[in-house]
Amino acid sequence: MRESGVMKAWEATVRKTHAVAKKRANSIFGTMYMSHAEAEEHQHDKEEEAGETFELYHADKVLPNGDYYTGQWADNFPHGQGKYLWTDGCMYVGEWYKGKTMGRGRFSWPSGATYEGEFKTGYMDGTGTYTGSNGDSYKGQWVMNLKQGHGVKRLVNGDRYEGEWRRGLHDGQGKYQWKNGSHYIGEWRNGSIWGKGSFIWANGNRYDGYWEDGLPKGNGTFKWEDGSFYVGNWSKDPKEQNGTYYPSASSSQEGHFDWDPQEVYNDLSEYQICLGEKVSLLPSQKKLAVWRSTKGDVKPRRMSVDGRVSVGLERPTDRMNIWDGGSEGTDVSGGDRTPTLVTQLDEDLMGLHMEDGNTSGILHPLKLPRKTKRQGETICKGHKNYELMLNLQLGIRHSVGRPAPTASLDLKPSAFDPKEKVWTRFPPEGSKYTPPHPSSEFKWKDYCPVVFRTLRKLFKVDAADYMLSICGNDALRELCSPGKSGSFFYLTNDDRYMIKTMKKNEAKALIRMLPAYYNHFRSFENTMVTKFYGLHCVKLSTGPTQKKVRFIIMGNLFCSEYTIHRRYDLKGSSLGRITDKPETEINDTTILKDLDLNFLFKLQKSWFLEFCRQLDRDCELLEQEGIMDYSLLVGIHFREVSADGELIPCASGTSHEESEGDGVLHLSRAETDQLLLDPNRWASIKLGINMPARVERTVRRTGNELQLVGEAVGEFYEVILFFGVIDILQDYDISKKLEHAYKSFQYDPTSISAVDPRQYSRRFRDFLLRIFSEDCL
């Protein structure tokens, strides 16, 4: 009874203290977005959901560097409602959560610019309004400091845009109106008019049709206010223009008969798309915390590649001291009390113990795999495939260099006909169409040449660069061993293209699905499906039989300025899906498999949403075409590596600038923010290419050898990701059906790779959505 009375008295004291803090905060801030009682109740609900409780009180702090904070405080963090003033004049007033701007708030710049709206972990994220120092304003959706979603931009020069945004640029459906009343309504891409849309001039004239890079391109109609119109094919190049003029009944017979479509292009050059003022400094760049270790640098033992050991986990809160220059566990302001943040936990509480009694319970640090020399064997004179390489290079030079009319992206059905192929004979002495060469006579076949030429155009591949990569003086490199299918792989010297020999049934599968494949790439620029640049065949005339070698030219997903430290081939099945090499033989070119994977991939919100959408589209294509046994090839570049090759977790205390890596480009958080400032630099980052992300480490339970996805341990690493869907030419033919039937008697049918396309697609998607998720940081 006495204990109950003491508890009630203590609760009353806490409530009184909180009431005083709220009253004091009200006198400073006034009413902000919600009453402080509501804010505290809302905050308390969030903490209860997270299983956390904080003692909340008011604090006034002048920090050693001159910054000033006043507002609610908990557990050594701004927490609740608060105001922070930086020495450079930036100010934030609004909601905080554990030291980060989170919720509703207002950020102001010394220039007079302001943002008022929602924040998430330091970023402008949600719904908000930005008003620039020059008077420009944007009201709408934001994701990680970038305009993303629906929004309205009003420019001080009188222009206005309302519509969809993506990564800070006009993208999707939208309307841009100039101050003179002329406006465009239609599709946009990467900040430029691109797709189908209408431009209406202030004088009533209009163009309806297709656009590319801000100008009419393709089919379109220009109408005059009097009702007469011109219909035809539009292009900036006058040689490609053609169309027909139709006078209206009310206009004179001559009308605009002598009118030149080039006038439209000249007129449109005066209509510029204004993006407005750039944000000079992002709110996420204004740091409050410095991460540092409060413990000795213990270096536990290394773990194996598949993570099958017991681990211990150092909690991030045991390594954080929020205020730069302050002593650990002390109040740097010298005023209000600061709760001690660091507590020495028992190793048993920190360890994530597994069932194997022989393990130590320590989280072994991960190390980079052994670095190898350049991948592949150069095909020099005397190599068994040297003559085949020469034939291939001669054939490519002939195919790509052959004069051809400029192909429209709208191809005729006949271009996809399986019979659409061109044979060329290459005698050693040369011919009217082929040069002399030192190789034996051979024949060269191009499959659907118009389609692949147009695909290269769609992929923005320059013909001269393409020929130089494959047919230049530098020899190709043959990968050491053929793949499981028996195919051989060759790499160009610049690593941009990969050439794979293929079986007849694979070539047939590609030609059969080529129309759907082509239309898929026209519709979805972010598709993760392998890019194919050409399908060819060499028929060798040596010996009693004429041997045919078919091969496909593909893009090399891992051609990058970044070193690829880990490579994974992921299908979502478990049977046989583990590397059969001992750990000592695993290097940075080893392709690991599903049961070797010991990471979960965390993508930024906008990228994760795009990943989910595109995964559905790509799997739907492959399912409809009866394809199975494909996989997601993933490459990981770790951004933080110690001098001795150990991977450094995000909260390790080592800054990006101080890390000693392998000499390649590393992006710090500050550099990432600078990337956000310049949307044009996003051009190098696409879905699956050069993607900044995080990975979370996982482990598998001891004794559960077929556990497909390990358990997360809360240790994160900053990475650059590369991924794409490969091996998309396997039909679910009779051999695969027999394989499925045979293995189903011996193993769990859900664990084997050979299943029907519909089941394979569903399993593949489900697996990837277990290992990829939104990064909630």
Side-chain angles (χ1 to χ4, degrees), residues 17-30:
T17 304
H18 286 182
V20 172
K22 283 186 289 181
K23 185 176 180 181
R24 189 175 178 187
N26 249 331
S27 66
I28 297 171
F29 302 117

Side-chain angles (χ1 to χ4, degrees), residues 560 562 564 635-639 665 667 689-693 718-722:
S560 169
Y562 297 103
I564 306 298
I636 306 176
H637 167 81
F638 293 94
R639 301 208 308 216
L665 177 65
L667 296 177
I689 302 293
N690 292 327
M691 286 188 62
E718 297 278 352
V719 299
I720 302 291
L721 287 183
F722 301 80

Side-chain angles (χ1 to χ4, degrees), residues 457-607:
K457 178 182 176 182
L458 195 64
F459 300 152
K460 295 180 172 57
V461 173
D462 181 77
D465 290 342
Y466 182 70
M467 280 197 290
L468 190 62
S469 290
I470 302 174
C471 312
N473 294 329
D474 297 316
L476 302 178
R477 304 196 315 277
E478 183 179 69
L479 299 192
C480 297
S481 59
K484 186 178 178 182
S485 64
S487 299
F488 282 86
F489 291 87
Y490 303 92
L491 280 171
T492 58
N493 191 61
D494 58 7
D495 288 330
R496 290 175 63 183
Y497 301 103
M498 182 173 284
I499 302 167
K500 175 190 175 186
T501 63
M502 59 195 312
K503 297 177 181 178
K504 185 176 181 179
N505 64 322
E506 291 178 310
K508 283 185 174 181
L510 176 56
I511 293 171
R512 190 201 70 238
M513 68 181 290
L514 199 53
Y517 175 90
Y518 177 79
N519 290 327
H520 189 74
F521 270 93
R522 282 201 66 184
S523 302
F524 308 114
E525 63 174 336
N526 277 339
T527 177
M528 296 179 284
V529 172
T530 309
K531 288 182 177 178
F532 293 134
Y533 298 94
L535 177 62
H536 312 283
C537 176
V538 171
K539 182 187 285 187
L540 304 174
S541 302
T542 56
T545 59
Q546 292 189 334
K547 180 184 177 184
K548 287 184 179 179
V549 181
R550 299 173 183 85
F551 55 89
I552 187 77
I553 302 176
M554 308 177 289
N556 179 15
L557 183 64
F558 295 152
C559 178
S560 169
E561 61 184 340
Y562 297 103
T563 300
I564 306 298
H565 297 133
R566 283 285 189 211
R567 303 163 190 243
Y568 293 94
D569 182 279
L570 306 173
K571 293 180 183 287
S573 56
S574 57
L575 184 63
R577 300 296 298 161
I578 190 167
T579 306
D580 54 5
K581 290 184 178 180
E583 188 181 352
T584 54
E585 294 182 16
I586 291 176
N587 57 50
D588 58 357
T589 64
T590 302
I591 304 293
L592 304 170
K593 300 179 183 178
D594 300 65
L595 295 179
D596 300 309
L597 181 66
N598 55 336
F599 296 108
L600 299 176
F601 304 100
K602 305 291 182 179
L603 305 183
Q604 295 168 1
K605 180 179 179 180
S606 58
W607 283 120

